[in-house]
Amino acid sequence: MTAGGGTIAAFGLKYQYMATIEQFLRHLRGNLDLLPRVALEVEPPVFAAGGAVDDIVDFGFLTDGIATHHYQVKSSLNPAENPLTPAAAREVLQRLAFHNAQDFALYTNKPLSPALAHDVTVDNRRSPCAGVVSYEWSPALIGVSQPDLHPTITVDSRGRREIRGSISALIRDFRRDRQLSLGEITCDLLVPILLEKVFDAAASDSPYRIDALEVVELLAMPDARIAKIVGGFDWGLPLSGVPHYASTVPRLAHLAKIRSEFPDDSANRPPRIILAGHTGSGKSVVASDYCHLDAVSFAFMCWLDCRDAAYLDSQIRDLVLQLTSGTPVSDADIAPVFTGLLGRHPGPWLLVFDGALCRGDIEQYLPTRGHGVILITSVNEIGWWSDSTVIEIKGFTSAEAELCFRAYSGLQENEVDDHVVVEIVESLGSIPLAVSMAGLYFKNTQGSVGELAPQYFADLAALDDSLSIPPGFNRTAFKAVQHAVATLATDGPTGHGTSARAVLEMGSLFAPEQIPLNLMLQATVPTIKMDAAKAPTPSEADPALRRGVVATLRTQSIARRTLRTGESQSPTDETVAVHPLIHQILQTSRLRALPPGQLQADSTVLMHFLRGWLGSLRVGGDFLGTDQIRIHAEAVLAIVDAHEPLHSYGLQEQRVYAYTKALLQAELSTCHASRGRYDRSIHFARAAAATLRVVGTEPAANAMFVPILTNMIHDLSFMQVSPDVVAAVAVPVVWGIEAVIADSRPAYQDLGYTFAGELRFWLTRTASYQSAEALRGPNEILRRIIDSDPRADTRPAAQNALINDLYNARKFEDLGRLIPSLRADADPDTHIGLAALDIVVQLRTGSTDDALIKLYELIELDPHAGYLSHSLIEALSKVNREIHRIIHEGDSVDSRISGVLAVIAARVATLQSS
C-alpha cells in the first residue's frame, strides 16, 4: 500500500520501541545477576556541549543509576532503497560518543552503503542472532580522539515478524524461569503489553525509567490477567480499515488456532480460515483482535465489508488502485487483477472478508497463490471449501462471560459475589454481545449489581416478545440488547452523548455498515433550516465533536469507528458501523416509538443530505464514497417505501417530503446511469416521477418532472430501445416542457428551453430515431419550441450545435480554442467527451504526437466500478470513427494512427462486456 507521512512516522516509532524491548530483554538475559540494579530509560534527555538538551539517545540502560548503554535507532519502511551512508552514521556516532555511556551503538534496519561497508569490520561478539550483524568503526574515522571507544553499528535485516518472534522467545525464557505457561499466544500477547509500557514511558513529560524487576514481574502475569489487560487496550487508529473493538476478553484459543494456520515461508497457497457462528457470538471481534495482535507480522492488511456486493466491488477497486499506485484497470479485469497482485506480492498480507454469506459472494476475489492469509467471518458454517479451516465461534465460556461482564460493568475483583455474576451471565446464554450490553447497563446505573439485578430482569421480562430473534440467540439475551438500546445514556464523559445518541437513532434508517460520521453530524444538529432546492455539500464536522461522539460510542459498545486510509481524502472516510442485530433493534424500536409524522420528518432530512452528498461525490469523482452513500440512500428509501403512506405533520411537510424524495430518486437514477446500469437508472427515474404525482401539476413538480424523464430517455437511448418505447416517455415530457415554458417566471422558462434542446438531441441521436414516425410529432414540437427561444444562443444545445457546425465546416482551430471554455464547471462525463473532441482536433491539426498521448490517456482511463463507462465508450467510438475518416481521406497517413485502432477496439470491447 502507498505509505504516507503518518504511516512512515508510525513505522519508525513501532520499530524503535520493538528494538528497545528486544535489546533490553537480551541485556537482562545476559546479566541476570544485575536484575535488581538495572533499569531501562526511554528517550532520556541528555546534555550536549553548552548544556543544551540533546535528543540523540532513543533508549538506554542504567546500572545503579549510571548510564551504561546508549542507542539511537535509524529505520526505513524500504531499507533496501535507503542504505546507511558514512555521513549519516558519522553524525550519529560522533554525538553519541560525547556522552558518558561506556557502550553506544547506532541500531538500524538499513543496509550499509558500499563506502561505509568498506570502512567497518564485523564484530562477532555483538551479533546475537541470525540476521543481526554488528560492525565496529575506528574512532579515528569518525573524528573521535579517544582510541578506547568502540563506535558500533548494528544492522538488523530481519522483518518485523521475526523481531516479534525473537521478543516472544525471550519472554518465554523469563516465564520458563518462573515455571509459568509458555503458550505461543500468551507470550505474543505480552509483546503489545510491553509496547504499551514503552509508549507510556516515551510519552511521559519527564525522564521515565522502567526498572528491570518491574518488567520481569509484568512478564510473569497469569493468562487470565494477560487477557484482561490486552482486552482493555484502545488499539488506537485502525490499521488499513481494521475496526476498533474494546474486546475485554480475547479468545486465546481462537487466536492461537488462527495463528497456527499461518503458512511457512515456502507455502504459496494462502490458507482460508472461516470464523463461523450465530449473530452476536463475536466473530468480527475475534478477527479484529487477531489483526491487531499480529499486525507486525504482515506487510499490509485489507478489511473488506461484504454486506453489499456493489460496495465490496468498490472496495476491491480502491485497494487495486493503492496496490498499483493509481494505475488504471478496466472494470472487467478487476477481480483477476486483484488476485494477481496479491499472488505476486512478497507479503505477508492478511485479507479479511467480514460478513460474507457464502463462498460464491467472494470467491472471485480470493487469490489461489501468494504469501498471506484469508480470514472470513460468516453466520454460515457450511458450504465452504474442503481445504479451508472452519472455526466455530460460540458463546463465551462461563469464565470468559464473567470476565467480560466484570470488565464492562466496571466491577473490581471480589467486589460482588461470584454467584450473582454467574446468574446474570448464564441467564444471558453467555452470548458476548448481550453480556457486554448488560455490563454497560449496570455500569451506567446507580446502585450495586446485587441490588439492581432483580429489577433488571423484571424490566427484561416486560419487554416485547414479538420481535424476530435470530437463530441461536437466547431470548433473554435478545431482550438484554433491546434494553441496552432503549436505555442509551443521553450524555457521556465527553459531553457529546446527545449527539452520539442522535447519530445512532437517525442512523438506524441507514444500512448498518459504513455510516458516514460527518454526514450524520451534519444531519442531526438540533435545528436544521432546509431548502429542498439547495442540496448540502459534503464537509467535515468539527474534529472535537467527532472525537467526542466516537469516544461516547466506544463507551456504549454499540457502534464502532472505522477509518478508510489512502492518498486521497474524503469526508466519507470516517464512518461508524453498528452490529446488524443492534441495528435491527434500534430501527424497530425507533420506528415503533416515533409519533405520527416524525418518520416523514426524519427521512426528509436524511434524504436531503444524502441527495446533496451523492451528487457532489459523483461529480467530484469520489466513486468509492458515491457507492457508500448510495447504499444508505437506497436503505432509507426502502424503509419509507415499506411504511408508506406516511403520516405527515401538515400539507407543507408532505410537499417538501415528496420533492426531497423525488430529488434523491432522480440522483440515484443519474448515479446508476453513470455506471451503465440503465435498468436501475430507469427504475429510480420512474419512481421519482411517481413520487411527484403527490404534488400534482404545480409548476415546481413540472420543473422536476421534465429533467427526470429527459434523463430517462437518455438511458433508453443508450439501451437502444425501440422508437415506440421512447415515444411513450417523450410525449408527456414534451407536454411538461410546454407547461414550464408557459409559466411567467423566467427561471422556469429557461429550464423548459434548456431541456427542449436536450430532449431533441436524444430523440435524434440515431438514424432510426430520426426516421421513426412515432417520434416525428415530439421532434416537430421541440423544434418549434427551440426556434422560439429568445436566448437560444446561450443554451447547452446551442453549444452542441456550434461544435457540430465548426466540425462540419472543418474549422478545427476554432474548435480547439472553444474547448477550454467548455471544460469550466464540466462534470466527469462531459470531461471525457471533451477529451475525445480535443483528440479529434489534434489529429486534424497535425499534432499527432499530442493526439496519441491524449488518446492513450483516454484508453487507460479507469471507470471506477463502472462509473463513466458509457461516456468512455462513446468517446472512444467517436475517436475511432474519426481515425477511419482520416485514413479514408488521406493518401499518406501516419502508421501510428492506424495502428491504434486495434487498441481502441479492444478497450471498447472490454468496457462493453463489463
Side-chain angles (χ1 to χ4, degrees):
M1 312 293 262
T2 304
T7 302
I8 294 169
F11 169 81
L13 289 173
K14 188 73 168 284
Y15 183 87
Q16 174 185 324
Y17 296 146
M18 289 185 71
T20 301
I21 292 168
E22 185 187 23
Q23 293 306 306
F24 188 54
L25 294 182
R26 286 196 185 283
H27 180 64
L28 296 183
R29 293 304 299 175
N31 298 275
L32 291 174
D33 57 320
L34 297 178
L35 279 180
R37 301 163 54 195
V38 175
L40 166 68
E41 206 167 22
V42 184
E43 299 192 21
V46 292
F47 296 94
V53 176
D54 191 350
D55 64 353
I56 188 68
V57 179
D58 286 333
F59 67 94
F61 309 149
L62 308 174
T63 301
D64 297 327
I66 299 172
T68 59
H69 296 71
H70 280 168
Y71 292 85
Q72 189 184 73
V73 181
K74 290 283 189 183
S75 61
S76 173
L77 261 175
N78 299 299
E81 300 174 9
N82 298 283
L84 184 67
T85 62
R90 184 178 293 111
E91 180 187 0
V92 171
L93 293 172
Q94 282 178 342
R95 290 172 63 189
L96 285 172
F98 176 82
H99 306 293
N100 295 325
Q102 64 189 37
D103 206 332
F104 61 92
L106 167 58
Y107 197 96
T108 183
N109 69 341
K110 301 180 179 184
L112 304 184
S113 70
L116 182 54
H118 180 269
D119 290 342
V120 298
T121 57
V122 175
D123 184 353
N124 292 317
R125 298 169 300 170
R126 295 172 179 262
S127 301
C129 61
V132 180
V133 180
S134 290
Y135 301 90
E136 192 170 301
W137 208 2
S138 167
L141 291 177
I142 66 167
V144 176
S145 58
Q146 297 169 265
D148 58 331
L149 290 179
H150 302 282
T152 301
I153 302 171
T154 298
V155 178
D156 188 348
S157 60
R158 298 171 299 168
R160 285 172 285 176
R161 184 185 175 207
E162 293 171 286
I163 299 173
R164 172 72 168 267
S166 173
I167 295 173
S168 293
L170 290 165
I171 292 172
R172 192 171 290 109
D173 289 339
F174 280 101
R175 291 180 67 84
R176 184 180 292 108
D177 293 344
R178 302 281 286 270
Q179 297 183 329
L180 297 167
S181 63
L182 304 177
E184 183 179 3
I185 289 295
T186 295
C187 296
D188 279 350
L189 284 172
L190 283 165
V191 178
I193 292 175
L194 281 172
L195 278 171
E196 183 85 354
K197 190 80 172 175
V198 174
F199 274 126
D200 283 345
S204 177
D205 293 333
S206 57
Y208 191 94
R209 62 186 57 176
I210 306 172
D211 291 334
L213 291 178
E214 185 180 353
V215 172
V216 172
E217 284 305 309
L218 185 148
L219 299 181
M221 282 193 295
D223 285 0
R225 178 67 177 159
I226 292 172
K228 186 170 183 179
I229 290 178
V230 172
F233 275 3
D234 177 347
W235 291 106
L237 290 176
L239 303 168
S240 302
V242 177
H244 167 280
Y245 289 109
S247 62
T248 54
V249 186
R251 319 283 279 276
L252 300 187
H254 295 321
L255 297 176
K257 178 63 175 174
I258 296 171
R259 166 65 74 81
S260 70
E261 296 296 326
F262 196 99
D264 59 35
D265 291 338
S266 62
N268 60 10
R269 182 176 178 83
R272 299 170 178 181
I273 306 166
I274 295 90
L275 306 180
H278 291 302
T279 299
S281 62
K283 303 179 294 297
S284 296
V285 177
V286 171
S288 174
D289 273 354
Y290 179 73
C291 290
H292 289 287
L293 164 68
D294 220 17
V296 74
S297 295
F298 300 99
F300 67 88
M301 299 179 179
C302 304
W303 184 285
L304 298 163
D305 175 5
C306 302
R307 303 189 195 280
D308 180 273
Y311 188 59
L312 175 59
D313 180 79
S314 290
Q315 293 172 86
I316 295 291
R317 178 164 295 277
D318 191 55
L319 289 170
V320 167
L321 290 175
Q322 294 183 55
L323 288 167
T324 59
S325 302
T327 303
V329 180
S330 70
D331 218 34
D333 296 333
I334 190 63
V337 167
F338 179 63
T339 57
L341 285 169
L342 292 184
R344 295 188 298 273
H345 197 283
W349 42 258
L350 176 64
L351 195 57
V352 182
F353 289 90
D354 186 36
L357 293 179
C358 63
R359 60 185 281 183
D361 291 346
I362 61 174
E363 194 154 25
Q364 63 176 322
Y365 302 118
L366 303 189
T368 56
R369 296 176 58 83
H371 188 45
V373 176
I374 299 167
L375 193 58
I376 300 163
T377 72
S378 178
V379 294
N380 180 19
E381 298 180 22
I382 60 174
W384 301 103
W385 304 271
S386 59
D387 61 346
S388 61
T389 300
V390 178
I391 301 175
E392 186 178 2
I393 308 295
K394 297 181 178 179
F396 281 146
T397 64
S398 296
E400 289 172 336
E402 292 173 41
L403 185 60
C404 177
F405 181 83
R406 287 184 179 277
Y408 273 92
S409 60
L411 290 176
Q412 301 299 316
E413 293 181 15
N414 303 320
E415 184 176 335
V416 67
D417 289 343
D418 287 343
H419 78 273
V420 176
V421 175
V422 170
E423 180 184 357
I424 292 172
V425 298
E426 285 185 350
S427 66
L428 299 174
S430 295
I431 293 174
L433 182 63
V435 171
S436 62
M437 302 288 259
L440 285 171
Y441 166 79
F442 287 102
K443 181 179 182 179
N444 293 328
T445 308
Q446 295 296 321
S448 70
V449 171
E451 296 168 345
L452 293 170
Q455 183 59 48
Y456 174 70
F457 284 104
D459 291 344
L460 295 190
L463 289 174
D464 185 7
D465 271 331
S466 63
L467 290 176
S468 175
I469 299 176
F473 209 92
N474 174 288
R475 181 170 294 277
T476 304
F478 186 89
K479 287 187 174 185
V481 177
Q482 189 182 2
H483 184 270
V485 170
T487 56
L488 273 173
T490 57
D491 208 347
T494 64
H496 295 294
T498 302
S499 296
R501 180 167 184 168
V503 166
L504 284 177
E505 291 185 342
M506 292 287 275
S508 69
L509 301 182
F510 279 16
E513 302 287 343
Q514 303 290 334
I515 299 173
L517 183 58
N518 284 305
L519 185 151
M520 292 307 302
L521 291 175
Q522 264 192 357
T524 54
V525 294
T527 303
I528 293 177
K529 292 183 178 179
M530 198 187 107
D531 182 349
K534 296 179 181 178
T537 56
S539 64
E540 293 191 353
D542 176 64
L545 175 60
R546 295 205 313 270
R547 288 193 297 269
V549 167
V550 168
T552 302
L553 293 176
R554 283 178 178 170
T555 66
Q556 299 301 320
S557 189
I558 286 177
R560 58 178 170 82
R561 169 186 181 252
T562 58
L563 185 67
R564 189 170 76 235
T565 57
E567 290 188 349
S568 59
Q569 302 296 309
S570 168
T572 62
D573 286 345
E574 189 168 8
T575 67
V576 292
V578 181
H579 190 286
L581 175 63
I582 298 176
H583 183 267
Q584 173 192 332
I585 297 172
L586 272 167
Q587 186 182 106
T588 304
S589 302
R590 180 162 175 77
L591 290 175
R592 289 185 178 186
L594 288 176
Q598 192 58 44
L599 175 58
Q600 187 185 81
D602 288 352
S603 59
T604 299
V605 170
L606 292 178
M607 291 189 297
H608 179 61
F609 280 91
L610 287 166
R611 170 237 174 169
W613 280 55
L614 189 62
S616 295
L617 293 168
R618 178 182 56 78
V619 171
D622 181 359
F623 297 122
L624 186 63
T626 300
D627 254 357
Q628 182 181 329
I629 301 300
R630 175 192 60 77
I631 292 169
H632 297 301
E634 293 181 4
V636 171
L637 288 174
I639 290 173
V640 298
D641 286 345
H643 289 81
E644 284 193 337
L646 301 182
H647 291 282
S648 180
Y649 284 131
L651 291 177
Q652 179 60 16
E653 286 77 10
Q654 178 67 25
R655 290 180 68 252
V656 173
Y657 167 78
Y659 281 120
T660 304
K661 182 180 179 183
L663 284 166
L664 178 59
Q665 289 168 324
E667 181 55 51
L668 281 167
S669 176
T670 303
C671 177
H672 281 290
S674 187
R675 293 189 70 170
R677 296 181 173 178
Y678 296 119
D679 54 342
R680 294 293 292 161
S681 177
I682 291 170
H683 163 79
F684 280 109
R686 285 176 171 155
T691 300
L692 288 175
R693 294 194 190 111
V694 174
V695 290
T697 58
E698 59 183 63
N702 274 331
M704 285 181 58
F705 177 81
V706 165
I708 288 170
L709 289 194
T710 300
N711 287 336
M712 184 191 294
I713 290 172
H714 161 278
D715 297 346
L716 293 170
S717 172
F718 273 101
M719 292 175 70
Q720 299 180 0
V721 302
S722 70
D724 290 340
V725 174
V726 174
V729 182
V731 170
V733 183
V734 172
W735 294 343
I737 289 173
E738 289 179 312
V740 170
I741 290 173
D743 194 285
S744 60
R745 287 166 288 188
Y748 282 77
Q749 294 173 0
D750 282 347
L751 184 142
Y753 285 124
T754 296
F755 278 93
E758 290 284 315
L759 182 57
R760 191 163 193 275
F761 178 81
W762 297 118
L763 294 183
T764 57
R765 177 173 171 267
T766 65
S768 63
Y769 288 177
Q770 292 168 10
S771 61
E773 186 63 31
L775 295 175
R776 189 181 303 278
N779 273 325
E780 182 59 30
I781 296 172
L782 291 171
R783 185 188 61 77
R784 289 200 300 268
I785 292 173
I786 294 168
D787 289 344
S788 67
D789 183 359
R791 298 173 54 207
D793 292 345
T794 65
R795 310 296 178 199
Q799 289 184 337
N800 289 333
L802 176 59
I803 291 172
N804 290 333
D805 290 343
L806 291 174
Y807 176 81
N808 292 332
R810 310 187 73 76
K811 294 182 178 180
F812 295 109
E813 291 82 0
D814 294 341
L815 194 53
R817 285 189 288 270
L818 179 65
I819 290 174
S821 64
L822 298 176
R823 283 190 169 129
D825 302 322
D827 61 23
D829 290 276
T830 304
H831 268 293
I832 289 176
L834 292 174
L837 183 61
D838 191 17
I839 292 167
V840 170
V841 169
Q842 299 295 332
L843 288 171
R844 288 295 190 174
T845 55
S847 303
T848 305
D849 290 342
D850 289 342
L852 290 173
I853 290 172
K854 293 176 180 178
L855 176 56
Y856 277 106
E857 289 176 353
L858 192 62
I859 289 171
E860 294 171 0
L861 186 67
D862 175 27
H864 181 101
Y867 286 102
L868 310 179
S869 58
H870 77 276
S871 297
L872 186 53
I873 291 171
E874 283 285 297
L876 291 174
S877 298
K878 289 177 181 177
V879 175
N880 181 70
R881 287 194 297 270
E882 194 63 31
I883 292 176
H884 277 290
R885 289 191 185 105
I886 292 172
I887 293 171
H888 179 72
E889 295 170 2
D891 294 328
S892 58
V893 178
D894 192 322
S895 60
R896 294 177 298 167
I897 295 177
S898 56
V900 80
L901 287 173
V903 181
I904 295 174
R907 182 69 173 123
V908 169
T910 299
L911 291 167
Q912 289 174 334
S913 65
S914 62

